[in-house]
Amino acid sequence: MSETLQATDVERQDEDAAPEETGDGAAERSSGSTEDLLVQEGDIAGDYLEQLLDLLDYDGDIDLDVEAGRAVVSIEGGEDLEKLVGPRGNVLESLQELTRLAVQQETGVRSRLMLDIAQWRAGRRAELAELGKTTAEKVAADGERVRLHPMTPFERKVVHDAVAAVAGVHSESEGEEPQRRVVVFRQA
């Protein structure tokens, strides 16, 4: 960990000493810094979650990746991991927030990392994409708006993306958390 902090301090000194860049060089430097920060977030999250698994005496392999501008941490393996998902992913959502806070405490930057355990989020994404598609097709066919059940921000995003892929309909979110839901309309 001290090696990471020392390397970060050296990078900061280099940034302070370098003349300000403009154009493509600045964009490349910025995207490189962002990628480095996301890798650092993943490493911190992986260490945090490894300690959690050790405390619980659960088996699991941690996989770190960067996708779509965010760190993605996945835990695969033991049978006990289902307990870390909980009903409707409630425990998973809480662990994700705790992990984000641990990362923010180390980096000083708000984290948007995504946590998946036992491929629950990946499976849920597929279910929600199908729900969004079939709902959008139904609305396109009969014109009746449909209000779906309350969902988390992650779930709503998946549904909105699936609805957007169907011509002639659109979706909006309505309500307040935790009762915020997707509503699908026929386009005027």
Side-chain angles (χ1 to χ4, degrees), residues 129-165:
E130 182 62 25
L131 173 66
K133 179 183 173 222
T134 57
T135 301
E137 289 169 347
K138 179 181 181 300
V139 170
D142 68 20
E144 295 288 322
R145 81 179 189 155
V146 174
R147 294 176 70 223
L148 299 174
H149 59 279
M151 297 179 189
T152 66
F154 157 76
E155 293 171 326
R156 290 192 310 270
K157 167 83 168 89
V158 173
V159 172
H160 285 304
D161 289 348
V163 170

Side-chain angles (χ1 to χ4, degrees), residues 70-101:
R70 68 171 49 183
V72 178
V73 181
S74 302
I75 304 175
E76 299 294 326
E79 296 171 17
D80 292 329
L81 294 181
E82 293 297 322
K83 296 174 188 171
L84 296 179
V85 172
R88 290 187 38 94
N90 291 339
V91 176
L92 171 59
E93 290 292 328
S94 296
L95 284 174
Q96 177 174 277
E97 286 306 311
L98 289 172
T99 305
R100 286 176 173 177
L101 288 172

